[in-house]
Amino acid sequence: MQATPVSADVESPCTRICRIGAQGHCVGCGRDLDEIVAWPRAGRALKLAIRERAAARLREHPDHQEHEP
């Protein structure tokens, strides 16, 4: 298995279910508005931290992952 280069970009957690819920974060990806806005300019370390925080939010509120009708 080959290691991921440090310069490799981090895939966005966006699921294209873009709605800010009552908890203050996107119901699809778990990011808050500041994290969504920062994403395009964020470095690798910040992106990894954002993904981790977003995933933790979704684990805390699994029923909050709404789907498009």
Side-chain angles (χ1 to χ4, degrees):
M1 181 182 287
Q2 189 174 11
T4 303
V6 174
S7 62
D9 202 17
V10 177
E11 186 177 341
S12 171
C14 181
T15 61
R16 306 231 189 305
I17 301 172
C18 305
R19 251 186 336 270
I20 301 300
Q23 301 294 329
H25 60 267
C26 177
V27 300
C29 71
R31 294 179 291 172
D32 64 27
L33 283 175
D34 290 336
E35 293 167 337
I36 292 168
V37 170
W39 186 266
R41 295 177 307 285
R44 180 175 174 73
L46 180 55
K47 285 182 177 182
L48 291 172
I50 290 171
R51 282 184 61 100
E52 186 175 316
R53 287 191 303 264
R57 288 183 195 116
L58 292 177
R59 282 192 302 272
E60 284 180 31
H61 304 282
D63 57 323
H64 197 57
Q65 286 185 320
E66 299 171 9
H67 298 282
E68 294 293 322

